[in-house]
Amino acid sequence: MSRLFQRSNPWFLVMSLSCVLIALSSWRGFVAPFEVVMAHLVHYLQDYSLPLYAHIIFGPLALALVPFQFWQGSRHRPVLHRWSGRLYVLSILAASLGSLAMLPGYQGSSWTAAGFFTLALLWIGTTGMGLVRALQGRFAEHQIWMLRSAALTFASVTLRVMMVPLIIAGQTPLETYDVTAWGSWLINLVAVEAWLVWRGRWRMA
Ligand code: HEM
């Protein structure tokens, strides 16, 4: 995998930049009036403020950490890699539990809620497997599971990219979720699985 995650690889650079930019823009509710820049989330504030804040603080943090964790250089700094990996896992735990706790207050369709629900479960599952394999010293499998976890974290980028043509076509942000709540992560996951098969590294252990 190492050549893919070098700074000189343009794909890696574009992916890293999009992670950092989407993470930074996701924190906009903390620097500008929340009810203006995140108006579509205000309805969560009454009963779901804790899970909402957990989700929109730690989801972007996990996303911002993805490029560093995969960057080949971080593997030569094992202490840093380990600590930022712990932060990544804890961020995903907080963000995914936050999204699960918010879902009863979600105002879209149950089809969409099911997509987010499945994504949250897979996010916890793949990240948990990645952590367990690292603790067992099974680093080849650790990389594979963390690649799956990162594909799901990156769904937040894919979702926002997919929203653009749908909004231009006249859909409201809530309507776009009917496609993106499933499509944003299925595309990433299928791409990662296909890449693992192509490289002869596919494993489900
Ligand atoms: C992978 C599992 C994830 C699930 C299941 C999930 C689920 C959700 C749900 C249900 C909402 C509320 C949508 C609404 O009511 O309008 C939401 C909003 C949000 N999520 Fe996630 N999310 C996930 C990952 C992430 C990640 C990795 C980020 C990092 C950027 C993130 C950042 C946000 C932000 C900033 C919002 C507020 C909406 C906005 O900015 O337009 N989420 N998420």
Side-chain angles (χ1 to χ4, degrees), residues 26 28 40-41 44 55 59-60 116 119 123 153 156 160 177:
S26 297
R28 66 193 180 282
H40 57 300
L41 299 179
Y44 287 113
H55 187 73
F116 284 133
L119 170 58
W123 208 24
T153 309
S156 54
R160 284 157 181 83
Y177 291 150

Side-chain angles (χ1 to χ4, degrees), residues 91-136:
S91 301
I92 287 179
L93 196 63
S96 56
L97 293 180
S99 65
L100 287 174
M102 273 157 69
L103 275 182
Y106 179 66
Q107 292 185 333
S109 66
S110 40
W111 156 259
T112 310
F116 284 133
F117 180 74
T118 313
L119 170 58
L121 293 189
L122 289 175
W123 208 24
I124 296 171
T126 52
T127 312
M129 284 298 288
L131 174 66
V132 168
R133 292 296 175 255
L135 295 174
Q136 291 172 332

Side-chain angles (χ1 to χ4, degrees), residues 117-166:
F117 180 74
T118 313
L119 170 58
L121 293 189
L122 289 175
W123 208 24
I124 296 171
T126 52
T127 312
M129 284 298 288
L131 174 66
V132 168
R133 292 296 175 255
L135 295 174
Q136 291 172 332
R138 293 170 58 179
F139 295 110
E141 288 91 348
H142 164 66
Q143 276 193 4
I144 290 171
W145 283 106
M146 284 308 189
L147 199 59
R148 292 180 173 130
S149 163
L152 299 177
T153 309
F154 198 74
S156 54
V157 177
T158 317
L159 180 141
R160 284 157 181 83
V161 171
M162 287 174 80
M163 273 175 101
V164 176
L166 295 171

Side-chain angles (χ1 to χ4, degrees), residues 2 26 32 36 52-53 57 61 71 78 99 104 107 118 121 123 125 141 143 161 164 168 190 193 199:
S2 57
S26 297
V36 177
L52 172 69
Y53 285 125
I57 292 172
L61 182 57
W71 171 49
S99 65
Q107 292 185 333
T118 313
L121 293 189
W123 208 24
E141 288 91 348
Q143 276 193 4
V161 171
V164 176
I168 291 173
V190 168
E193 299 302 330
R199 299 302 300 258

Side-chain angles (χ1 to χ4, degrees), residues 17-66:
L17 201 63
S18 55
C19 287
V20 172
L21 289 179
I22 294 288
L24 289 176
S25 79
S26 297
W27 285 319
R28 66 193 180 282
F30 300 101
V31 289
F34 191 91
E35 56 293 349
V36 177
V37 291
M38 293 197 148
H40 57 300
L41 299 179
V42 166
H43 64 96
Y44 287 113
L45 288 177
Q46 173 122 21
D47 296 323
Y48 303 97
S49 60
L50 189 67
L52 172 69
Y53 285 125
H55 187 73
I56 65 175
I57 292 172
F58 291 104
L61 182 57
L63 183 67
L65 288 170
V66 165

